[in-house]
Amino acid sequence: MSATTRDGRSWSPSYLDAIDPAVCIGCGRCYKVCGRGVMTLRGVNDEGEIVDDEEDEDDIDRRVMAMEDAGACVGCGACARVCPTNCQTHIAA
């Protein structure tokens, strides 16, 4: 899929498809630039698994960004540009 900008230049969206919890450092930069609610901060246990928000804080080893509402992504790529660890995978339309 290709679209055009307001002045007619060609533009192809690149949608956020996944975030690798093994690489993500949970800095939140992507969350801050995304105004669409695509991502959220989640806990990860010592086995590297993303856990529910109801999980006991003692069971959470660290926090990472995770997909919250993938359908809300407009493919702008702002999250990829600010990510210091390149932990995201994007797909073309």
Side-chain angles (χ1 to χ4, degrees):
M1 177 178 142
S2 185
T4 57
T5 62
R6 291 190 323 184
D7 65 0
R9 286 179 277 173
S10 181
W11 176 73
S12 296
S14 181
Y15 300 105
L16 180 61
D17 186 51
I19 301 171
D20 186 343
V23 179
C24 180
I25 59 173
C27 67
R29 291 176 185 163
C30 57
Y31 179 81
K32 291 174 186 172
V33 299
C34 180
R36 311 260 327 146
V38 175
M39 297 153 281
T40 190
L41 195 61
R42 290 281 163 81
V44 175
N45 64 19
D46 55 359
E47 286 91 35
E49 301 165 333
I50 294 178
V51 296
D52 293 329
D53 291 334
E54 294 83 33
E55 195 79 23
D56 185 11
E57 285 291 323
D58 293 335
D59 294 335
I60 296 175
D61 186 48
R62 62 191 181 94
R63 296 202 176 266
V64 298
M65 296 310 297
M67 300 290 287
E68 175 74 10
D69 185 3
C73 180
V74 295
C76 69
C79 56
R81 288 190 297 278
V82 299
C83 181
T85 63
N86 196 27
C87 66
Q88 303 170 354
T89 301
H90 289 79
I91 56 172

